[in-house]
PDB file of all heavy atoms in Angstrom:
ATOM      1  N   ASN C  40    -103.997 -99.183  33.419  1.00 98.00           N
ATOM      2  CA  ASN C  40    -103.063 -98.758  32.305  1.00 98.00           C
ATOM      3  C   ASN C  40    -101.680 -98.555  32.912  1.00 98.00           C
ATOM      4  O   ASN C  40    -101.601 -98.170  34.139  1.00 98.00           O
ATOM      5  CB  ASN C  40    -103.601 -97.451  31.699  1.00 98.00           C
ATOM      6  CG  ASN C  40    -104.899 -97.659  30.842  1.00 98.00           C
ATOM      7  OD1 ASN C  40    -104.779 -98.123  29.717  1.00 98.00           O
ATOM      8  ND2 ASN C  40    -105.938 -97.318  31.543  1.00 98.00           N
ATOM      9  N   PRO C  41    -100.609 -98.685  32.015  1.00 98.00           N
ATOM     10  CA  PRO C  41     -99.353 -98.447  32.447  1.00 98.00           C
ATOM     11  C   PRO C  41     -99.077 -97.081  33.185  1.00 98.00           C
ATOM     12  O   PRO C  41     -98.355 -96.940  34.183  1.00 98.00           O
ATOM     13  CB  PRO C  41     -98.432 -98.640  31.366  1.00 98.00           C
ATOM     14  CG  PRO C  41     -99.153 -99.604  30.418  1.00 98.00           C
ATOM     15  CD  PRO C  41    -100.654 -99.149  30.575  1.00 98.00           C
ATOM     16  N   VAL C  42     -99.766 -96.203  32.715  1.00 98.00           N
ATOM     17  CA  VAL C  42     -99.687 -94.774  33.268  1.00 98.00           C
ATOM     18  C   VAL C  42     -99.996 -94.698  34.706  1.00 98.00           C
ATOM     19  O   VAL C  42     -99.467 -93.932  35.477  1.00 98.00           O
ATOM     20  CB  VAL C  42    -100.392 -93.723  32.440  1.00 98.00           C
ATOM     21  CG1 VAL C  42    -101.927 -93.886  32.631  1.00 98.00           C
ATOM     22  CG2 VAL C  42    -100.040 -92.301  32.789  1.00 98.00           C
ATOM     23  N   TYR C  45     -96.761 -95.471  36.511  1.00 98.00           N
ATOM     24  CA  TYR C  45     -95.842 -94.345  36.441  1.00 98.00           C
ATOM     25  C   TYR C  45     -96.298 -93.293  37.484  1.00 98.00           C
ATOM     26  O   TYR C  45     -95.427 -92.679  38.107  1.00 98.00           O
ATOM     27  CB  TYR C  45     -95.895 -93.717  35.097  1.00 98.00           C
ATOM     28  CG  TYR C  45     -95.459 -94.588  33.976  1.00 98.00           C
ATOM     29  CD1 TYR C  45     -95.991 -94.337  32.675  1.00 98.00           C
ATOM     30  CD2 TYR C  45     -94.733 -95.742  34.089  1.00 98.00           C
ATOM     31  CE1 TYR C  45     -95.818 -95.188  31.574  1.00 98.00           C
ATOM     32  CE2 TYR C  45     -94.534 -96.611  32.996  1.00 98.00           C
ATOM     33  CZ  TYR C  45     -95.064 -96.256  31.750  1.00 98.00           C
ATOM     34  OH  TYR C  45     -94.812 -97.189  30.715  1.00 98.00           O
ATOM     35  N   LEU C 129    -109.399 -95.346  27.406  1.00 98.00           N
ATOM     36  CA  LEU C 129    -108.024 -94.681  27.306  1.00 98.00           C
ATOM     37  C   LEU C 129    -107.326 -95.221  26.040  1.00 98.00           C
ATOM     38  O   LEU C 129    -106.710 -94.459  25.305  1.00 98.00           O
ATOM     39  CB  LEU C 129    -107.161 -95.024  28.608  1.00 98.00           C
ATOM     40  CG  LEU C 129    -105.836 -94.163  28.752  1.00 98.00           C
ATOM     41  CD1 LEU C 129    -105.575 -93.894  30.123  1.00 98.00           C
ATOM     42  CD2 LEU C 129    -104.711 -94.899  27.954  1.00 98.00           C
ATOM     43  N   THR C 130    -107.226 -96.567  25.922  1.00 98.00           N
ATOM     44  CA  THR C 130    -106.421 -97.044  24.852  1.00 98.00           C
ATOM     45  C   THR C 130    -107.090 -96.896  23.446  1.00 98.00           C
ATOM     46  O   THR C 130    -106.335 -96.553  22.475  1.00 98.00           O
ATOM     47  CB  THR C 130    -106.307 -98.592  25.019  1.00 98.00           C
ATOM     48  OG1 THR C 130    -107.383 -99.164  25.463  1.00 98.00           O
ATOM     49  CG2 THR C 130    -105.197 -98.872  26.120  1.00 98.00           C
ATOM     50  N   THR C 133    -106.577 -93.247  22.588  1.00 98.00           N
ATOM     51  CA  THR C 133    -105.114 -93.034  22.226  1.00 98.00           C
ATOM     52  C   THR C 133    -104.886 -93.539  20.794  1.00 98.00           C
ATOM     53  O   THR C 133    -104.222 -92.702  19.998  1.00 98.00           O
ATOM     54  CB  THR C 133    -104.188 -93.859  23.264  1.00 98.00           C
ATOM     55  OG1 THR C 133    -104.491 -93.388  24.540  1.00 98.00           O
ATOM     56  CG2 THR C 133    -102.696 -93.571  22.886  1.00 98.00           C
ATOM     57  N   HIS C 152     -95.824-100.179  16.027  1.00 98.00           N
ATOM     58  CA  HIS C 152     -95.021-100.836  17.070  1.00 98.00           C
ATOM     59  C   HIS C 152     -95.893-101.044  18.235  1.00 98.00           C
ATOM     60  O   HIS C 152     -96.643-100.223  18.618  1.00 98.00           O
ATOM     61  CB  HIS C 152     -93.830 -99.940  17.505  1.00 98.00           C
ATOM     62  CG  HIS C 152     -92.730 -99.841  16.501  1.00 98.00           C
ATOM     63  ND1 HIS C 152     -91.975-100.931  16.142  1.00 98.00           N
ATOM     64  CD2 HIS C 152     -92.384 -98.765  15.689  1.00 98.00           C
ATOM     65  CE1 HIS C 152     -91.057-100.623  15.175  1.00 98.00           C
ATOM     66  NE2 HIS C 152     -91.353 -99.313  14.971  1.00 98.00           N
ATOM     67  N   GLY C 153     -95.724-102.176  18.936  1.00 98.00           N
ATOM     68  CA  GLY C 153     -96.603-102.516  20.122  1.00 98.00           C
ATOM     69  C   GLY C 153     -97.975-102.920  19.686  1.00 98.00           C
ATOM     70  O   GLY C 153     -98.980-102.551  20.389  1.00 98.00           O
ATOM     71  N   ALA C 155     -99.732-105.593  19.558  1.00 97.00           N
ATOM     72  CA  ALA C 155    -100.660-106.581  20.259  1.00 97.00           C
ATOM     73  C   ALA C 155    -101.118-105.990  21.670  1.00 97.00           C
ATOM     74  O   ALA C 155    -101.901-106.693  22.339  1.00 97.00           O
ATOM     75  CB  ALA C 155     -99.868-107.806  20.583  1.00 97.00           C
ATOM     76  N   GLY C 156    -100.618-104.827  22.127  1.00 96.00           N
ATOM     77  CA  GLY C 156    -100.868-104.305  23.494  1.00 96.00           C
ATOM     78  C   GLY C 156    -102.201-103.754  23.505  1.00 96.00           C
ATOM     79  O   GLY C 156    -103.124-103.802  22.578  1.00 96.00           O
ATOM     80  N   GLY C 157    -102.423-103.051  24.693  1.00 96.00           N
ATOM     81  CA  GLY C 157    -103.747-102.347  24.890  1.00 96.00           C
ATOM     82  C   GLY C 157    -104.060-101.353  23.765  1.00 96.00           C
ATOM     83  O   GLY C 157    -105.053-101.380  23.114  1.00 96.00           O
ATOM     84  N   VAL C 158    -103.125-100.494  23.628  1.00 98.00           N
ATOM     85  CA  VAL C 158    -103.373 -99.431  22.645  1.00 98.00           C
ATOM     86  C   VAL C 158    -103.134-100.034  21.130  1.00 98.00           C
ATOM     87  O   VAL C 158    -104.032 -99.755  20.272  1.00 98.00           O
ATOM     88  CB  VAL C 158    -102.209 -98.343  22.682  1.00 98.00           C
ATOM     89  CG1 VAL C 158    -102.545 -97.203  21.669  1.00 98.00           C
ATOM     90  CG2 VAL C 158    -102.417 -97.631  24.078  1.00 98.00           C
ATOM     91  N   GLY C 159    -102.183-100.875  20.972  1.00 98.00           N
ATOM     92  CA  GLY C 159    -101.935-101.432  19.602  1.00 98.00           C
ATOM     93  C   GLY C 159    -103.048-102.273  19.045  1.00 98.00           C
ATOM     94  O   GLY C 159    -103.415-102.209  17.871  1.00 98.00           O
ATOM     95  N   THR C 176     -95.650-104.830  14.873  1.00 98.00           N
ATOM     96  CA  THR C 176     -94.630-105.550  15.664  1.00 98.00           C
ATOM     97  C   THR C 176     -95.111-106.137  16.824  1.00 98.00           C
ATOM     98  O   THR C 176     -95.931-105.569  17.588  1.00 98.00           O
ATOM     99  CB  THR C 176     -93.331-104.707  16.034  1.00 98.00           C
ATOM    100  OG1 THR C 176     -93.734-103.704  16.955  1.00 98.00           O
ATOM    101  CG2 THR C 176     -92.818-103.868  14.764  1.00 98.00           C
ATOM    102  N   ALA C 177     -94.561-107.422  17.172  1.00 98.00           N
ATOM    103  CA  ALA C 177     -94.918-108.183  18.386  1.00 98.00           C
ATOM    104  C   ALA C 177     -94.046-109.293  18.575  1.00 98.00           C
ATOM    105  O   ALA C 177     -93.376-109.651  17.513  1.00 98.00           O
ATOM    106  CB  ALA C 177     -96.425-108.624  18.315  1.00 98.00           C
ATOM    107  N   SER C 178     -93.996-109.939  19.594  1.00 97.00           N
ATOM    108  CA  SER C 178     -93.234-111.166  19.773  1.00 97.00           C
ATOM    109  C   SER C 178     -93.944-112.288  18.962  1.00 97.00           C
ATOM    110  O   SER C 178     -95.143-112.130  18.661  1.00 97.00           O
ATOM    111  CB  SER C 178     -93.124-111.621  21.204  1.00 97.00           C
ATOM    112  OG  SER C 178     -94.422-111.773  21.759  1.00 97.00           O
ATOM    113  N   ASN C 181     -97.506-113.620  19.551  1.00 97.00           N
ATOM    114  CA  ASN C 181     -98.610-112.777  19.152  1.00 97.00           C
ATOM    115  C   ASN C 181     -98.869-112.589  17.646  1.00 97.00           C
ATOM    116  O   ASN C 181     -99.794-111.818  17.294  1.00 97.00           O
ATOM    117  CB  ASN C 181     -98.557-111.340  19.877  1.00 97.00           C
ATOM    118  CG  ASN C 181     -98.921-111.407  21.332  1.00 97.00           C
ATOM    119  OD1 ASN C 181     -99.889-112.067  21.650  1.00 97.00           O
ATOM    120  ND2 ASN C 181     -98.203-110.604  22.132  1.00 97.00           N
ATOM    121  N   TYR C 195     -90.056-107.750  16.641  1.00 97.00           N
ATOM    122  CA  TYR C 195     -89.241-106.595  17.012  1.00 97.00           C
ATOM    123  C   TYR C 195     -87.839-107.053  17.292  1.00 97.00           C
ATOM    124  O   TYR C 195     -87.712-108.316  17.615  1.00 97.00           O
ATOM    125  CB  TYR C 195     -89.796-105.633  18.052  1.00 97.00           C
ATOM    126  CG  TYR C 195     -90.300-106.380  19.322  1.00 97.00           C
ATOM    127  CD1 TYR C 195     -89.407-106.687  20.269  1.00 97.00           C
ATOM    128  CD2 TYR C 195     -91.668-106.659  19.458  1.00 97.00           C
ATOM    129  CE1 TYR C 195     -89.785-107.305  21.485  1.00 97.00           C
ATOM    130  CE2 TYR C 195     -92.061-107.212  20.687  1.00 97.00           C
ATOM    131  CZ  TYR C 195     -91.113-107.557  21.721  1.00 97.00           C
ATOM    132  OH  TYR C 195     -91.611-108.226  22.809  1.00 97.00           O
ATOM    133  N   PHE C 217     -96.406 -97.326  19.497  1.00 98.00           N
ATOM    134  CA  PHE C 217     -97.213 -97.702  20.814  1.00 98.00           C
ATOM    135  C   PHE C 217     -96.528 -98.513  21.827  1.00 98.00           C
ATOM    136  O   PHE C 217     -97.122 -99.089  22.615  1.00 98.00           O
ATOM    137  CB  PHE C 217     -98.492 -98.413  20.430  1.00 98.00           C
ATOM    138  CG  PHE C 217     -99.504 -97.529  19.542  1.00 98.00           C
ATOM    139  CD1 PHE C 217    -100.300 -98.307  18.626  1.00 98.00           C
ATOM    140  CD2 PHE C 217     -99.701 -96.306  19.765  1.00 98.00           C
ATOM    141  CE1 PHE C 217    -101.229 -97.575  17.796  1.00 98.00           C
ATOM    142  CE2 PHE C 217    -100.621 -95.561  18.955  1.00 98.00           C
ATOM    143  CZ  PHE C 217    -101.405 -96.165  18.069  1.00 98.00           C
ATOM    144  N   ALA C 218     -95.174 -98.512  21.635  1.00 98.00           N
ATOM    145  CA  ALA C 218     -94.350 -99.358  22.577  1.00 98.00           C
ATOM    146  C   ALA C 218     -93.245 -98.598  23.237  1.00 98.00           C
ATOM    147  O   ALA C 218     -92.932 -98.929  24.349  1.00 98.00           O
ATOM    148  CB  ALA C 218     -93.705-100.473  21.691  1.00 98.00           C
ATOM    149  N   SER C 222     -88.052 -98.786  19.891  1.00 98.00           N
ATOM    150  CA  SER C 222     -88.929 -98.956  18.736  1.00 98.00           C
ATOM    151  C   SER C 222     -88.469 -97.850  17.637  1.00 98.00           C
ATOM    152  O   SER C 222     -88.498 -98.300  16.492  1.00 98.00           O
ATOM    153  CB  SER C 222     -90.333 -98.732  19.027  1.00 98.00           C
ATOM    154  OG  SER C 222     -90.689 -99.836  19.849  1.00 98.00           O
ATOM    155  N   ILE C 239     -96.603 -92.465  21.255  1.00 98.00           N
ATOM    156  CA  ILE C 239     -97.172 -92.160  22.569  1.00 98.00           C
ATOM    157  C   ILE C 239     -96.268 -92.356  23.690  1.00 98.00           C
ATOM    158  O   ILE C 239     -96.585 -92.124  24.882  1.00 98.00           O
ATOM    159  CB  ILE C 239     -98.482 -92.990  22.827  1.00 98.00           C
ATOM    160  CG1 ILE C 239     -98.163 -94.460  22.924  1.00 98.00           C
ATOM    161  CG2 ILE C 239     -99.524 -92.620  21.681  1.00 98.00           C
ATOM    162  CD1 ILE C 239     -99.387 -95.316  23.190  1.00 98.00           C
ATOM    163  N   ALA C 240     -95.003 -92.836  23.437  1.00 98.00           N
ATOM    164  CA  ALA C 240     -94.134 -93.333  24.436  1.00 98.00           C
ATOM    165  C   ALA C 240     -92.709 -92.749  24.303  1.00 98.00           C
ATOM    166  O   ALA C 240     -91.799 -93.070  25.168  1.00 98.00           O
ATOM    167  CB  ALA C 240     -94.143 -94.859  24.604  1.00 98.00           C
ATOM    168  N   VAL C 253     -97.770 -87.849  21.147  1.00 98.00           N
ATOM    169  CA  VAL C 253     -99.205 -87.687  21.469  1.00 98.00           C
ATOM    170  C   VAL C 253     -99.473 -88.052  22.949  1.00 98.00           C
ATOM    171  O   VAL C 253     -99.118 -89.090  23.428  1.00 98.00           O
ATOM    172  CB  VAL C 253    -100.036 -88.513  20.469  1.00 98.00           C
ATOM    173  CG1 VAL C 253    -101.499 -88.368  20.857  1.00 98.00           C
ATOM    174  CG2 VAL C 253     -99.785 -88.119  19.005  1.00 98.00           C
ATOM    175  N   TRP C 254    -100.235 -87.244  23.553  1.00 98.00           N
ATOM    176  CA  TRP C 254    -100.903 -87.559  24.938  1.00 98.00           C
ATOM    177  C   TRP C 254    -102.390 -87.513  24.797  1.00 98.00           C
ATOM    178  O   TRP C 254    -103.000 -86.585  24.367  1.00 98.00           O
ATOM    179  CB  TRP C 254    -100.472 -86.454  25.928  1.00 98.00           C
ATOM    180  CG  TRP C 254     -99.593 -87.101  27.102  1.00 98.00           C
ATOM    181  CD1 TRP C 254     -98.309 -87.196  27.037  1.00 98.00           C
ATOM    182  CD2 TRP C 254    -100.114 -87.540  28.345  1.00 98.00           C
ATOM    183  NE1 TRP C 254     -97.864 -87.706  28.205  1.00 98.00           N
ATOM    184  CE2 TRP C 254     -98.934 -87.965  29.034  1.00 98.00           C
ATOM    185  CE3 TRP C 254    -101.358 -87.651  28.947  1.00 98.00           C
ATOM    186  CZ2 TRP C 254     -98.930 -88.489  30.255  1.00 98.00           C
ATOM    187  CZ3 TRP C 254    -101.331 -88.230  30.190  1.00 98.00           C
ATOM    188  CH2 TRP C 254    -100.254 -88.639  30.895  1.00 98.00           C
ATOM    189  N   VAL C 255    -102.981 -88.659  25.068  1.00 98.00           N
ATOM    190  CA  VAL C 255    -104.429 -88.816  24.894  1.00 98.00           C
ATOM    191  C   VAL C 255    -105.290 -87.799  25.608  1.00 98.00           C
ATOM    192  O   VAL C 255    -104.872 -87.594  26.773  1.00 98.00           O
ATOM    193  CB  VAL C 255    -104.920 -90.352  25.160  1.00 98.00           C
ATOM    194  CG1 VAL C 255    -104.514 -90.730  26.535  1.00 98.00           C
ATOM    195  CG2 VAL C 255    -106.359 -90.514  24.951  1.00 98.00           C
ATOM    196  N   LEU C 294     -99.623-106.443  34.585  1.00 98.00           N
ATOM    197  CA  LEU C 294     -99.508-105.480  33.547  1.00 98.00           C
ATOM    198  C   LEU C 294     -98.035-104.925  33.412  1.00 98.00           C
ATOM    199  O   LEU C 294     -97.476-104.833  32.271  1.00 98.00           O
ATOM    200  CB  LEU C 294    -100.400-104.318  33.867  1.00 98.00           C
ATOM    201  CG  LEU C 294    -100.311-103.128  32.769  1.00 98.00           C
ATOM    202  CD1 LEU C 294    -101.027-103.681  31.432  1.00 98.00           C
ATOM    203  CD2 LEU C 294    -101.067-101.919  33.310  1.00 98.00           C
ATOM    204  N   GLY C 297     -95.338-106.321  30.888  1.00 94.00           N
ATOM    205  CA  GLY C 297     -95.027-105.681  29.668  1.00 94.00           C
ATOM    206  C   GLY C 297     -95.449-106.599  28.422  1.00 94.00           C
ATOM    207  O   GLY C 297     -95.131-106.215  27.250  1.00 94.00           O
ATOM    208  N   HIS C 298     -96.209-107.672  28.754  1.00 94.00           N
ATOM    209  CA  HIS C 298     -96.603-108.459  27.533  1.00 94.00           C
ATOM    210  C   HIS C 298     -98.028-108.833  27.547  1.00 94.00           C
ATOM    211  O   HIS C 298     -98.489-109.935  27.146  1.00 94.00           O
ATOM    212  CB  HIS C 298     -95.732-109.843  27.446  1.00 94.00           C
ATOM    213  CG  HIS C 298     -94.290-109.415  27.231  1.00 94.00           C
ATOM    214  ND1 HIS C 298     -93.785-109.146  26.047  1.00 94.00           N
ATOM    215  CD2 HIS C 298     -93.164-109.465  28.125  1.00 94.00           C
ATOM    216  CE1 HIS C 298     -92.453-108.875  26.095  1.00 94.00           C
ATOM    217  NE2 HIS C 298     -92.077-109.027  27.354  1.00 94.00           N
ATOM    218  N   THR C 299     -98.838-107.858  27.994  1.00 93.00           N
ATOM    219  CA  THR C 299    -100.290-108.105  27.982  1.00 93.00           C
ATOM    220  C   THR C 299    -100.732-108.006  26.547  1.00 93.00           C
ATOM    221  O   THR C 299    -100.443-107.242  25.773  1.00 93.00           O
ATOM    222  CB  THR C 299    -101.003-106.884  28.754  1.00 93.00           C
ATOM    223  OG1 THR C 299    -100.425-106.871  30.058  1.00 93.00           O
ATOM    224  CG2 THR C 299    -102.484-107.152  28.842  1.00 93.00           C
ATOM    225  N   GLY C 301    -104.037-107.166  24.591  1.00 94.00           N
ATOM    226  CA  GLY C 301    -105.398-106.567  24.983  1.00 94.00           C
ATOM    227  C   GLY C 301    -105.221-105.828  26.248  1.00 94.00           C
ATOM    228  O   GLY C 301    -104.330-105.242  26.589  1.00 94.00           O
TER     229      GLY C 301
HETATM  230  N1  NAP Z   1     -99.087 -90.934  25.521  1.00 63.06           N
HETATM  231  C1  NAP Z   1    -100.244 -91.492  25.732  1.00 63.06           C
HETATM  232  O1  NAP Z   1    -101.336 -90.733  25.779  1.00 63.06           O
HETATM  233  C2  NAP Z   1    -100.299 -92.788  26.185  1.00 63.06           C
HETATM  234  C3  NAP Z   1    -101.571 -93.555  26.221  1.00 63.06           C
HETATM  235  C4  NAP Z   1    -101.574 -94.916  26.379  1.00 63.06           C
HETATM  236  C5  NAP Z   1    -100.333 -95.608  26.638  1.00 63.06           C
HETATM  237  N2  NAP Z   1     -99.268 -94.912  26.615  1.00 63.06           N
HETATM  238  C6  NAP Z   1     -97.945 -95.607  26.780  1.00 63.06           C
HETATM  239  O2  NAP Z   1     -97.758 -96.492  25.585  1.00 63.06           O
HETATM  240  C7  NAP Z   1     -97.213 -97.726  26.010  1.00 63.06           C
HETATM  241  C8  NAP Z   1     -98.096 -98.877  25.700  1.00 63.06           C
HETATM  242  O3  NAP Z   1     -99.362 -98.795  26.305  1.00 63.06           O
HETATM  243  P1  NAP Z   1    -100.250-100.061  26.345  1.00 63.06           P
HETATM  244  O4  NAP Z   1    -101.426 -99.800  27.274  1.00 63.06           O
HETATM  245  O5  NAP Z   1    -100.516-100.461  25.010  1.00 63.06           O
HETATM  246  O6  NAP Z   1     -99.280-101.165  27.140  1.00 63.06           O
HETATM  247  P2  NAP Z   1     -99.500-102.785  27.202  1.00 63.06           P
HETATM  248  O7  NAP Z   1    -100.866-103.107  27.105  1.00 63.06           O
HETATM  249  O8  NAP Z   1     -98.721-103.171  28.419  1.00 63.06           O
HETATM  250  O9  NAP Z   1     -98.632-103.224  25.950  1.00 63.06           O
HETATM  251  C9  NAP Z   1     -97.866-104.371  26.004  1.00 63.06           C
HETATM  252  C10 NAP Z   1     -97.532-104.776  24.617  1.00 63.06           C
HETATM  253  O10 NAP Z   1     -96.304-104.169  24.283  1.00 63.06           O
HETATM  254  C11 NAP Z   1     -95.647-105.117  23.354  1.00 63.06           C
HETATM  255  N3  NAP Z   1     -94.287-104.913  23.447  1.00 63.06           N
HETATM  256  C12 NAP Z   1     -93.420-105.093  24.516  1.00 63.06           C
HETATM  257  N4  NAP Z   1     -92.137-104.682  24.078  1.00 63.06           N
HETATM  258  C13 NAP Z   1     -92.220-104.398  22.790  1.00 63.06           C
HETATM  259  C14 NAP Z   1     -91.302-103.893  21.786  1.00 63.06           C
HETATM  260  N5  NAP Z   1     -89.942-103.725  22.101  1.00 63.06           N
HETATM  261  N6  NAP Z   1     -91.732-103.631  20.605  1.00 63.06           N
HETATM  262  C15 NAP Z   1     -92.945-103.871  20.187  1.00 63.06           C
HETATM  263  N7  NAP Z   1     -93.973-104.329  21.057  1.00 63.06           N
HETATM  264  C16 NAP Z   1     -93.545-104.514  22.289  1.00 63.06           C
HETATM  265  C17 NAP Z   1     -96.063-106.525  23.983  1.00 63.06           C
HETATM  266  O11 NAP Z   1     -96.176-107.493  22.911  1.00 63.06           O
HETATM  267  P3  NAP Z   1     -95.351-108.828  23.055  1.00 63.06           P
HETATM  268  O12 NAP Z   1     -95.977-109.529  24.161  1.00 63.06           O
HETATM  269  O13 NAP Z   1     -95.664-109.499  21.755  1.00 63.06           O
HETATM  270  O14 NAP Z   1     -93.928-108.502  23.252  1.00 63.06           O
HETATM  271  C18 NAP Z   1     -97.498-106.332  24.452  1.00 63.06           C
HETATM  272  O15 NAP Z   1     -98.442-106.671  23.628  1.00 63.06           O
HETATM  273  C19 NAP Z   1     -96.941 -97.634  27.515  1.00 63.06           C
HETATM  274  O16 NAP Z   1     -95.676 -97.086  27.796  1.00 63.06           O
HETATM  275  C20 NAP Z   1     -97.962 -96.550  28.047  1.00 63.06           C
HETATM  276  O17 NAP Z   1     -97.613 -95.810  29.225  1.00 63.06           O
HETATM  277  C21 NAP Z   1     -99.141 -93.601  26.423  1.00 63.06           C
END
Side-chain angles (χ1 to χ4, degrees):
N40 290 282
V42 69
Y45 306 150
L129 189 152
T130 44
T133 303
H152 290 291
V158 181
T176 68
S178 60
N181 279 324
Y195 50 82
F217 293 145
S222 296
I239 60 169
V253 179
W254 244 85
V255 58
L294 183 66
H298 295 286
T299 304

